């Protein structure tokens, strides 16, 4: 103790205290702060493979260094990917949205062009350009029994159903755009979509909706898509519009056919002439 | 083999039948079941089989009710719902088909004629009724005593009023309650469902947060929520908000609202000004928010002004600031009424 | 008639059952005089046609609603009190929700047969209203609303409006997110009523939205008030039907003064009774196999939550469409705000639409000045303007209906939702006009074809070649019955406009009104193709034998029959 107190007026004392404070604060932060759900980062060889793939398949729209290519009237062919993070690439490439087959209102989901390793390489390359959202950990994207499905449902109905509909059947946006259906989407892509905000979808960062809450949302979505359609054929989950269509076509149609049958004369014996 | 009734030929009697005379009822042709005993018996068996099937299916219903477990599934549906419904439905259908087949195949199908009578009552009925009415009125003196008549009509007429007056306590008077919400100066903006406060620095450009006033998650000394049940829902129906972060250069703040945002973080009412549905269909590139009910669209980068749709008033904005810890707070309540327009909405006080 | 082997009929009073029942029946008759009433009803004749059974679908659906609804009332709790859910649907376990919603979840998952009854109830509600529409259209297009049935038409319109209210109240009871959003819309709708909107809103909801009162109040409306009104009006509707007797299609043997058909006992007891079971059974099968209103997927009502694809049940779709298509007209004057963007489509439209429908028999009566009783139906083609107006009204309704589903159409067909809205905004005015013109032309064309058939016969399918190479088709005359059926409608009478002044130059009073009437009468009947006169028919018959077009084809070429089916060789 005397060693320290004797040097308390040393010119470097303030500096040491500052250093101590930084170390303590940093240490406390890294232990206590809410984790973002990042998985392991990639190695340099993966990054180089990714860069080669990028130059062949992506640079045409996104530019050779992924900085984007501006169009004449201020739009772009492909936006800058600097800072979008591995999560964005994994989502876009993994769901087949990228590479874009033709320009349209919105990139549709289609069978992916790249394999899982190639996708990982591309993600690693883009992640190496600048810090951005990382691919989430399976702890949050593969919900186990720990997930609170009820909580997930509340979050889902508050944040997601306005665009994606109560059972994730999708919804309309202006200009021919749409919120896509959520059936058959893996938990990882749901998570990545939330943190990267693809196209018109807003961002739902981990600081506002925590990874645990996101895990609950994913669990709820999976439980809704897996649960039985208790009442029978569900008509696509589109609600009263399809129900009305059924009542007219099947209900009234069927009963009118029955009425025609009831009123029909049936076979008659021909007169012998 | 068949003996026919004499063919009837009534005349077309609307006006002189023209251009052609009514040929009269066509001759009745027998059905196979009328002439062929084998067909007749077959029809009988068929109809009885339907009724028998119905009986069987009704019993299946009764058994299924007790035997099928509530959580069993069948073809991805509830097995109980399907078994009960299919057995009941088919049983009823079978009874119906049996009865109809009986009528079509076996019951006598000679067309029968019934004459209509004029819808109006006969002249003598009218005359007799009029006479009785006159007798009754004469005896009551109603026509001769205008004072009684008028005062009675007056009394009966006013009797409608208590029926309306009694409804007076259906609900409270609105007063000024429609003009304010639970938001006050300094109240934190918290994430809906979790109740976590929102740090300004944590929000990214393009982010959307569905938020509520902190009071909805506050608890008192006993750990009970300060606002719960119906009160909480009533507060939510006016106070729900959305928080978005837009690049500051994309924002055109209306006059006087330049400091209502925090570094491009803006807060708007979540309740549509058309008929009150919550809006959170936010497009991060266009900064438009679309109401799913009737497609009213508001531009959040332009003071919540209306772009499309049946809504008229712009989306009300909540002025934001940050407290000492960097969390988002409101600096006051909304300065205009939230939600659908009502007749007094422009009246100052 | 039937085989002698079938046992002969023993009068019922002589059978064993009849002898035993005789005592109680006599007891009843001595107190109630039932035989007098039953006399007129037991063998009452009803004409036979499938289109006369559409109203029955509505009636039977109503009975199914009463039965399934009573079941539901044993378990449904019409309270907005918040409780914590502890039932068996796990994704909502532990959530705070109203008792109404929780009890609906219990009915769906924990009460055996509950989900089936909920689905039967909801499907038959949809069928009830759809059947009323189809029945109304049948009555309209065949002119069955004319005297003496105008009152029955008005009662029918009231039944329709009450049905809409009943359905709305019913699907709002579970207090789920979808129907709660609908109640939020109603809240905004009431607010838009000029001057008194805020007061009405607080009175209906018992305070601020959502309040505590609306679900219990809707419950009272749904199980007590409206069913009582419906029962009373249905009874009046049936009573008038029995008194007036049913209308019938014109044809051989049928006149304005008779009814040709089958008696209630036994044929209609079996057919109509059987149809009740068919409707009930069909509805039950729909409840078994088609899911409807899965309230568990929507979640409990929360004013901060909403789902994409929020629509009311189909019968409110046209109001929803009108609200979506309406431009945003709202203005303030003298301190009062008038929200026409909500008031016109949500409040005025419903009232105006059904008032116009209810008034139609009286409008047509004013045009035709026809005070005779009508018991024979009209083929739609023989009332071209009425049919065209009906189709135009259906088009108007249909465009609004499509507008109500514009977001579903946008997602399913990858279209721009704003473009659909604009398209419907234009088509709601243009569509009915186009539909009117096309329908009227089709009706007139059909009338011409009928007249041709009466005068010149039908195309027999036998082609004849003349010596100089031209081809023509032989026409075979229609049978007597066929000719009669095409000429039973009435002659057209267009009101002549009166002279403005009589022959002494004195102005005729009421001339302007009469001229207006003549104008409308000409609009209605000016273009109608009249049926041929007796002279025309006689002349045509005469010519057919001498024109070189032989009446009968020979043995080899028999051509086709009247209905177009080839004759057997």
């Amino acid at each position: 103790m005397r060693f320290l107190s004797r040097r308390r007026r040393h010119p470097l004392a303030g500096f040491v205290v500052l250093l101590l404070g930084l170390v303590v604060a940093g240490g406390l932060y890294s232990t206590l702060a809410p984790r973002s759900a990042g998985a392991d980062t990639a190695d340099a060889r993966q990054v180089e493979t990714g860069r080669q793939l990028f130059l062949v398949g992506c640079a045409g729209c996104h530019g050779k260094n992924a900085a984007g290519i501006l169009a004449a009237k201020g739009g772009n062919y492909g936006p800058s990917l600097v800072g979008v993070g591995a999560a964005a690439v994994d989502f876009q490439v993994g769901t087949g949205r990228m590479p874009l087959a033709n320009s349209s209102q919105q990139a549709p989901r289609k069978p992916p062009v790249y394999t899982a390793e190639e996708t990982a390489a591309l993600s690693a390359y883009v992640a190496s350009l600048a810090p951005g959202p990382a691919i989430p950990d399976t702890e949050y994207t593969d919900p186990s029994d720990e997930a609170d499905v009820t909580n997930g449902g509340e979050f889902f109905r508050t944040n997601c159903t306005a665009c994606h509909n109560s059972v994730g059947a999708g919804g309309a946006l202006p200009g021919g755009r749409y919120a896509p259906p959520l059936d058959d989407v893996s938990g990882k892509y749901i998570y990545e979509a939330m943190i990267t905000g693809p196209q018109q979808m807003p961002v739902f960062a981990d600081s506002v909706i925590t990874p645990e809450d996101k895990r609950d949302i994913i669990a709820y979505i999976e439980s809704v898509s897996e649960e039985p359609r208790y009442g029978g054929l569900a008509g696509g989950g589109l609600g009263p519009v399809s129900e009305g269509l059924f009542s007219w076509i099947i209900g009234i149609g069927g009963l009118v056919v029955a009425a025609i049958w009831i009123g029909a004369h049936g076979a008659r014996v021909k007169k012998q002439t | 083999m068949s003996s026919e009734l004499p063919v009837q030929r009534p005349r077309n009697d609307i006006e002189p039948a023209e251009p052609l005379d009514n040929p009269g009822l066509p001759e009745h042709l027998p059905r196979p079941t009328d002439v062929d005993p084998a067909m007749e018996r077959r029809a009988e068996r068929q109809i009885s089989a339907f009724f028998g099937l119905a009986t069987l299916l009704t019993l299946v219903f009764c058994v299924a009710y007790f035997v099928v477990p509530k959580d069993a599934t069948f073809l991805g549906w509830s097995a109980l719902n399907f078994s009960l419904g299919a057995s009941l439905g088919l049983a009823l259908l079978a009874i119906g088909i049996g009865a109809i087949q009986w009528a079509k195949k076996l019951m006598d199908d000679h067309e029968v004629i019934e004459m209509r009578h004029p819808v109006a009552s006969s002249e003598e009925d009218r005359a007799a009724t009029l006479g009785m009415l006159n007798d009754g009125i004469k005896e009551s003196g109603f026509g001769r005593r205008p004072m009684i008549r008028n005062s009675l009509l007056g009394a009966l007429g006013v009797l409608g009023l208590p029926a309306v007056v009694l409804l007076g306590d259906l609900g409270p008077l609105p007063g000024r309650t429609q003009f304010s919400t639970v938001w006050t100066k300094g109240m934190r903006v918290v994430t809906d469902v979790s109740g976590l406060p929102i740090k300004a620095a944590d929000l990214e450009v393009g982010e959307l947060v569905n938020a509520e006033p902190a009071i909805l998650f506050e608890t008192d000394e006993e750990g009970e929520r300060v606002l719960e049940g119906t009160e909480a829902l009533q507060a939510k129906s006016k106070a729900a908000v959305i928080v978005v972060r837009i690049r500051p250069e994309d924002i055109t703040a209306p006059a006087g609202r330049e400091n209502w945002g925090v570094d491009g973080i803006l807060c708007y009412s979540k309740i549509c000004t058309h008929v009150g549905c919550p809006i959170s269909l936010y497009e991060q590139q266009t900064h438009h928010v679309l109401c799913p009910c009737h497609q009213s669209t508001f531009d959040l980068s332009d003071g919540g002004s209306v772009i499309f749709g049946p809504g008229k008033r712009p989306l009300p904005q909540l002025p934001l600031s940050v407290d000492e810890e960097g969390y988002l707070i409101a600096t006051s309540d909304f300065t205009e009424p939230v939600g659908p327009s009502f007749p007094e909405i422009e009246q100052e006080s | 008639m039937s085989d002698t082997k079938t046992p002969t009929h023993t009068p019922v009073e002589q059978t064993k059952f009849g002898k035993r029942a005789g005592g109680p029946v006599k007891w009843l008759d001595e107190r109630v005089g039932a035989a007098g009433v039953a006399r007129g009803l037991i063998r009452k004749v009803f004409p036979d046609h499938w289109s006369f059974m559409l109203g029955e679908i509505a009636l039977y659906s109503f009975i199914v609603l009463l039965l399934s609804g009573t079941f539901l009332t044993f378990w449904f709790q019409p309270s907005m009190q918040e409780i914590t859910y502890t039932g068996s649907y796990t994704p909502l376990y532990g959530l705070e929700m109203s008792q109404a919603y929780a009890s609906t979840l219990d009915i769906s998952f924990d009460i055996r047969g509950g989900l089936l009854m909920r689905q039967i109830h909801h499907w038959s509600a949809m069928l009830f209203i759809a059947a009323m529409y189809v029945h109304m259209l049948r009555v309209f297009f065949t002119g069955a609303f004319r005297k003496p049935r105008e009152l029955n038409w008005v009662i029918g319109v009231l039944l329709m409006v009450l049905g809409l209210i009943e359905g709305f109240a019913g699907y709002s009871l579970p207090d789920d997110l979808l129907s709660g959003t609908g109640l939020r819309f109603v809240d905004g709708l009431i607010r838009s009523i000029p001057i008194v909107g805020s007061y009405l809103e607080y009175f209906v909801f018992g305070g601020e939205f959502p309040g505590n009162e609306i679900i219990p109040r809707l419950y009272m409306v749904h199980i007590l008030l409206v069913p009582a009104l419906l029962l009373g009006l249905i009874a009046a509707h049936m009573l008038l039907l029995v008194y007036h007797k049913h209308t019938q299609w014109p044809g051989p043997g049928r006149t304005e003064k008779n009814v040709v058909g089958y008696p209630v006992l036994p044929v209609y007891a079996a057919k109509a009774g059987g149809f009740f079971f068919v409707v009930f059974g069909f509805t039950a099968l729909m409840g078994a196999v088609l899911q409807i209103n899965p309230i568990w997927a929507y979640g409990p009502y929360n004013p901060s939550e909403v789902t994409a694809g929020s629509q009311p049940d189909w019968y409110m779709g046209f109001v929803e469409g009108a609200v979506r298509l309406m431009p945003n007209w709202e203005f303030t004057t003298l301190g009062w705000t008038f929200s026409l963007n909500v008031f016109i489509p949500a409040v005025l439209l419903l009232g105006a639409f059904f008032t116009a429908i209810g008034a139609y028999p009286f409008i047509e009566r004013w045009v035709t000045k026809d005070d005779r009783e009508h018991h024979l139906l009209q083929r739609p083609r023989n009332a071209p303007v009425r049919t065209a107006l009906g189709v135009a009204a259906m088009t108007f309704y249909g465009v609004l209906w499509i507008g109500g589903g514009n977001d579903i159409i946008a997602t399913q067909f990858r279209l721009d939702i704003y473009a659909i809205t604009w398209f419907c905004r234009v088509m709601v005015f243009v569509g009915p006009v186009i539909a009117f013109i096309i329908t009227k032309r089709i009706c007139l064309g059909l009338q011409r074809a009928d007249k041709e058939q009466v005068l010149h016969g039908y195309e027999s399918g036998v082609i004849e070649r003349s010596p100089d190479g031209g081809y023509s088709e032989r026409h075979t005359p229609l049978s007597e019955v066929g000719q009669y059926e095409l000429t039973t409608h009435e002659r057209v009478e267009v009101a002549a406009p009166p002279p403005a002044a009589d022959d002494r130059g004195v102005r005729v009073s009421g001339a302007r009104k009469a001229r207006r009437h003549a104008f409308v009468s000409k609009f209605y009947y000016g273009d109608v193709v009249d049926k041929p006169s007796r002279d025309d028919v006689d002349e045509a018959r005469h010519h057919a034998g001498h024109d070189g077009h032989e009446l009968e084809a020979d043995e080899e070429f028999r051509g086709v029959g009247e209905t177009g089916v080839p004759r057997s060789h």
Side-chain angles (χ1 to χ4, degrees):
Chain A
M1 246 8 246
R2 278 182 33 139
F3 174 79
L4 284 174
S5 59
R6 270 205 274 137
R7 283 161 182 78
R8 66 186 180 279
R9 295 204 199 279
H10 193 282
L12 289 180
F15 182 71
V16 169
V17 169
L18 188 62
L19 203 61
L20 203 64
L22 284 172
V23 167
V24 167
L28 279 175
Y29 178 83
S30 59
T31 38
L32 297 176
R35 287 163 300 178
S36 78
D40 294 324
T41 51
D43 60 19
R45 196 139 45 108
Q46 203 183 28
V47 171
E48 181 52 30
T49 315
R51 193 178 81 88
Q52 296 299 335
L53 288 167
F54 185 87
L55 286 172
V56 171
C58 318
C61 290
H62 286 290
K64 274 200 284 217
N65 21 14
I69 302 180
L70 290 175
K73 292 190 194 153
N76 56 37
Y77 288 105
S80 163
L81 299 181
V82 176
V84 298
V89 178
D90 188 55
F91 172 77
Q92 299 281 4
V93 176
T95 59
R97 285 177 164 85
M98 290 290 139
L100 200 54
N102 52 6
S103 69
S104 62
Q105 300 292 14
Q106 184 165 321
R109 182 168 134 199
K110 51 185 181 10
V113 169
Y114 294 101
T115 66
E117 294 87 46
E118 290 168 333
T119 308
L122 283 167
S123 312
Y125 167 67
V126 170
S128 72
L129 299 173
I135 297 177
D137 197 77
T138 49
E139 182 188 348
Y140 302 107
T141 63
D142 240 338
S144 58
D145 289 331
E146 275 184 26
D148 181 351
V149 173
T150 308
N151 186 45
E154 276 292 85
F155 270 100
F156 185 69
R157 284 184 291 272
T158 305
N159 294 286
C160 319
T161 56
C163 293
H164 288 283
N165 159 299
S166 293
V167 294
L173 297 177
R177 300 181 288 273
Y178 56 93
L182 300 177
D183 55 307
D184 233 12
V185 182
S186 89
K188 182 172 72 140
Y189 295 135
I190 296 177
Y191 200 111
E192 288 167 353
M194 282 196 264
I195 53 176
T196 63
Q199 299 212 266
Q200 297 294 349
M201 177 167 169
V203 173
F204 296 94
D206 278 345
S207 49
V208 171
I209 300 187
T210 65
E212 287 80 14
D213 290 333
K214 289 199 171 74
R215 173 200 62 193
D216 294 343
I217 295 175
I218 293 169
Y220 180 78
I221 295 173
E222 284 178 4
S223 92
V224 163
S225 15
E226 282 159 20
E227 73 180 12
R229 300 284 170 258
Y230 297 104
L233 293 167
L238 296 174
V241 171
S242 38
E243 289 163 6
L245 216 61
F246 286 172
S247 7
W248 276 92
I249 296 177
I250 299 177
I252 294 292
L255 288 173
V256 165
V257 166
I260 294 175
W261 169 65
I262 293 174
H265 271 224
R268 299 275 145 182
V269 173
K270 266 224 266 261
K271 290 223 29 149
Q272 268 80 18
T273 35
Chain B
M1 268 286 223
S2 37
S3 62
E4 314 281 354
L5 291 173
V7 175
Q8 312 193 343
R9 289 182 174 273
R11 298 190 60 75
N12 184 342
D13 43 18
I14 335 172
E15 25 237 57
E18 63 100 22
L20 295 156
D21 283 341
N22 192 327
L25 269 188
E27 211 179 322
H28 173 255
L29 289 172
R31 300 163 297 190
T33 45
D34 290 332
V35 297
D36 182 356
M39 297 284 283
E40 190 186 343
R41 275 197 300 279
R42 189 164 144 219
E44 263 184 47
R45 280 198 300 270
Q46 194 191 62
I47 294 164
S48 312
F50 271 113
F51 292 146
L53 182 66
T55 314
L56 194 66
L57 287 166
T58 309
L59 293 173
V60 167
F61 177 95
C62 297
V63 168
Y65 183 92
F66 293 104
V67 158
V68 179
K70 273 188 253 187
D71 49 5
T73 61
F74 172 74
L75 295 180
W77 309 333
S78 156
L80 184 62
N81 183 66
F82 176 73
S83 51
L84 291 180
S87 54
L88 180 67
L90 288 172
L92 293 167
L93 211 56
I95 296 177
I97 294 175
I100 293 165
Q101 280 288 72
W102 187 359
K104 284 177 64 149
K105 292 219 149 40
L106 294 176
M107 289 186 188
D108 189 275
D109 75 332
H110 282 83
E111 286 186 312
V112 176
I113 302 182
E114 190 182 353
M115 299 312 288
R116 294 186 190 264
H117 50 77
V119 174
S121 23
S122 64
E123 277 307 319
E124 56 175 293
D125 271 344
R126 288 191 195 180
T129 309
L130 200 56
M132 288 192 263
L133 203 60
N134 274 319
D135 288 339
I137 294 177
K138 191 172 73 177
E139 286 168 23
S140 77
F142 200 68
R144 283 181 294 124
R145 302 184 200 282
M147 198 162 69
I148 295 183
R149 182 187 69 212
N150 295 340
S151 51
L152 171 67
L153 289 174
L156 289 175
V158 189
L159 209 51
L161 286 178
V164 178
V165 167
L166 272 174
L167 297 175
D169 271 344
L170 268 181
L173 295 176
R176 298 288 294 176
T177 50
Q178 293 161 311
F179 289 85
S180 58
T181 74
V182 293
W183 284 104
T184 58
K185 178 171 165 154
M187 187 175 288
R188 276 193 181 161
V189 183
V190 299
T191 309
D192 201 350
V193 184
S194 59
L196 296 173
I198 304 170
K199 246 210 177 114
D202 281 345
L203 295 180
E204 301 175 21
V205 170
E207 181 143 10
L208 166 76
V209 184
N210 288 281
E212 301 281 2
I215 192 173
L216 280 172
F217 294 89
E218 268 166 38
T219 52
D220 60 16
E221 314 86 54
E222 283 132 46
E224 297 286 325
R225 284 275 176 93
V226 167
L227 280 178
E228 53 178 356
T230 309
E231 277 187 343
L233 290 177
Q234 282 171 318
K236 261 193 196 178
S237 70
K238 288 193 303 193
V241 292
I242 46 175
V243 178
V244 293
R245 184 162 200 166
I246 303 177
R247 286 185 322 173
E249 56 265 32
D250 290 337
I251 301 176
T252 325
R257 296 200 199 166
E258 295 81 358
N259 58 346
W260 281 26
V262 175
D263 281 340
I265 301 174
L266 302 172
C267 181
Y268 285 92
S269 165
K270 192 172 176 179
I271 310 297
C272 183
T273 57
H274 180 230
V275 280
C277 292
I279 320 180
S280 53
L281 244 150
Y282 175 63
E283 289 193 303
Q284 66 153 301
Q285 313 274 1
T286 60
H287 315 126
H288 291 171
V289 75
L290 173 81
C291 183
C293 288
H294 311 107
Q295 287 80 51
S296 297
T297 315
F298 304 89
D299 188 347
L300 297 189
S301 62
D302 191 19
S305 56
V306 175
I307 311 275
F308 185 83
K312 175 72 174 183
R313 287 175 19 246
L315 212 51
Q317 191 177 355
L318 188 71
L320 283 182
S321 178
V322 282
D323 65 10
E324 321 82 58
E325 296 166 58
Y327 292 113
L328 289 176
I329 53 165
T331 58
S332 77
D333 192 2
F334 287 97
T335 55
E336 49 181 328
V338 163
S341 305
F342 48 94
E344 301 89 348
I345 197 170
E346 298 281 347
Q347 293 175 7
E348 285 303 310
S349 58
Chain C
M1 251 193 286
S2 47
D3 195 326
T4 46
K5 287 209 187 62
T6 336
T8 49
H9 171 75
T10 338
V12 70
E13 63 271 18
Q14 290 171 16
T15 61
K16 216 165 52 161
F17 170 77
K19 290 203 187 114
R20 269 196 251 132
V25 170
K26 190 150 168 288
W27 184 93
L28 193 65
D29 187 65
E30 283 169 0
R31 284 148 185 78
V32 163
V37 174
R39 180 180 183 181
L41 294 175
I42 287 185
R43 295 285 286 179
K44 196 169 190 58
V45 171
F46 281 91
D48 202 26
H49 194 262
W50 66 266
S51 64
F52 300 164
M53 298 193 192
L54 302 172
E56 281 178 44
I57 301 178
L59 178 67
Y60 301 148
S61 295
F62 182 69
I63 298 174
V64 174
L65 284 170
L66 288 176
L67 293 172
S68 52
T70 308
F71 175 94
L72 294 173
T73 58
F74 286 124
W75 286 280
F76 179 71
Q77 310 235 14
S79 161
M80 296 170 86
Q81 188 73 22
E82 298 267 303
I83 58 156
T84 311
Y85 178 65
T86 50
S88 50
Y89 183 64
T90 40
L92 296 176
Y93 190 91
L95 207 55
E96 289 269 307
M97 57 177 65
S98 64
Q99 281 195 326
Y101 187 73
S103 63
T104 314
L105 285 174
D106 288 338
I107 291 174
S108 304
F109 295 106
D110 291 305
I111 308 293
R112 289 173 287 188
L115 182 61
L116 180 68
M117 280 300 161
R118 266 198 62 229
Q119 302 210 140
I120 291 180
H121 194 71
H122 206 137
W123 280 122
S124 59
M126 312 279 245
L127 287 178
F128 177 54
I129 301 180
M132 280 200 283
Y133 267 114
V134 180
H135 171 64
M136 178 178 87
L137 287 173
R138 192 283 291 171
V139 169
F140 178 82
F141 285 120
T142 55
F145 55 81
R146 295 172 296 169
K147 177 173 172 180
R149 295 177 177 82
E150 304 97 319
L151 266 180
N152 233 6
W153 172 264
V154 172
I155 292 177
V157 172
L158 287 174
L159 282 170
M160 176 71 88
V161 173
L162 283 174
L164 295 182
I165 296 172
E166 180 78 345
F168 168 76
Y171 73 72
S172 302
L173 289 178
D175 198 28
D176 57 287
L177 184 57
L178 188 61
S179 63
T181 309
L183 280 179
R184 183 86 225 226
F185 163 52
V186 168
D187 177 58
L189 184 168
I190 299 177
R191 274 193 181 190
S192 76
I193 297 174
I195 316 290
V196 294
S198 304
Y199 298 95
L200 278 178
E201 178 202 3
Y202 273 55
F203 272 27
V204 168
F205 285 90
E208 263 189 290
F209 180 87
N212 246 336
E213 309 291 336
I214 189 67
I215 300 286
R217 286 177 181 174
L218 283 175
Y219 191 61
M220 181 282 292
V221 166
H222 186 76
I223 71 166
L224 180 63
L225 188 61
V226 176
L229 292 170
L230 280 171
L231 276 167
L233 285 174
I234 289 176
H237 201 70
M238 300 276 98
L239 226 75
L240 281 174
L241 163 69
V242 167
Y243 179 60
H244 291 154
K245 300 202 196 334
H246 204 282
T247 50
Q248 63 185 348
W249 286 106
R254 287 142 171 88
T255 71
E256 283 285 2
K257 298 248 170 42
N258 70 11
V259 192
V260 177
Y262 301 108
V264 168
L265 193 67
V267 178
Y268 273 106
K271 281 192 174 179
F275 197 39
F276 166 69
F277 284 100
V278 168
V279 170
F280 197 167
F282 199 77
T283 313
L285 279 176
M286 286 175 80
V289 160
L290 297 173
Q291 185 171 275
I292 184 169
N293 202 22
I295 47 110
W296 55 88
Y298 300 139
Y301 180 61
N302 184 328
S304 325
E305 296 173 2
V306 75
T307 170
S310 282
Q311 266 93 4
D313 272 4
W314 75 264
Y315 41 87
M316 287 301 190
F318 77 109
V319 176
E320 174 76 5
V323 173
R324 290 183 186 207
L325 300 180
M326 189 73 192
N328 60 350
W329 296 342
E330 186 179 281
F331 61 90
T332 307
T333 176
L334 300 175
W336 293 102
T337 302
F338 295 89
S339 306
L340 297 180
N341 52 348
V342 180
F343 185 63
I344 292 179
V347 182
L348 286 186
L349 175 71
L350 214 61
F353 187 67
F354 285 108
T355 307
I357 295 177
Y360 188 79
F362 308 101
I363 297 173
E364 199 178 277
R365 189 255 154 225
W366 177 76
V367 174
T368 58
K369 298 261 187 250
D370 185 1
D371 273 332
R372 298 169 299 176
E373 282 180 22
H374 290 282
H375 301 285
L376 286 176
L377 298 173
Q378 287 178 301
R379 296 174 83 197
R381 66 185 64 183
N382 289 324
V385 172
R386 178 208 298 153
T387 305
L389 283 175
V391 174
M394 284 166 70
T395 309
F396 175 74
Y397 184 91
V399 172
L400 290 178
W401 204 6
I402 288 172
N406 57 0
D407 53 349
I408 305 284
I409 295 174
T411 41
Q412 298 303 110
F413 297 104
R414 295 293 159 88
L415 297 169
D416 177 6
I417 196 173
Y418 291 163
I420 298 175
T421 307
W422 270 109
F423 176 76
C424 291
R425 277 176 175 171
V426 170
M427 282 307 275
V428 79
F429 295 107
V430 168
V433 173
I434 297 176
F436 179 89
I437 295 171
I438 294 177
T439 310
K440 183 171 167 189
R441 290 293 131 193
I442 292 177
C443 288
L444 295 177
L446 289 170
Q447 279 192 313
R448 250 175 252 126
D450 284 349
K451 188 170 174 179
E452 279 293 305
Q453 278 207 339
V454 170
L455 294 177
H456 302 297
Y458 65 97
E459 291 160 346
S460 64
V462 178
I463 311 292
E464 200 177 49
R465 192 171 175 198
S466 73
D468 47 318
Y471 286 101
S472 60
E473 187 169 5
R474 279 198 195 141
H475 284 78
T476 320
L478 282 179
S479 63
E480 204 186 313
V481 168
Q483 280 183 323
Y484 179 72
E485 278 175 349
L486 293 181
T487 52
T488 51
H489 54 286
E490 287 161 24
R491 292 228 173 268
V492 175
E493 282 170 30
V494 181
D502 68 8
D503 50 8
R504 286 208 219 135
V506 180
R507 238 173 16 150
V508 179
S509 69
R512 231 190 18 208
K513 228 168 68 171
R515 252 202 312 279
R516 207 165 40 213
H517 175 259
F519 177 77
V520 178
S521 175
K522 184 153 179 292
F523 170 71
Y524 253 78
Y525 294 111
D527 293 333
V528 171
V529 175
D530 206 355
K531 60 182 176 178
S533 67
R534 199 180 265 278
D535 292 337
D536 289 337
V537 173
D538 290 340
E539 199 187 317
R541 275 196 188 142
H542 184 71
H543 275 188
H546 298 306
D547 250 355
H549 294 259
E550 278 159 41
L551 290 177
E552 283 300 318
D554 61 23
E555 284 297 310
E556 294 258 321
F557 304 102
R558 298 202 51 134
V560 301
E562 266 178 37
T563 48
V565 175
R567 287 196 223 269
S568 50
H569 285 47

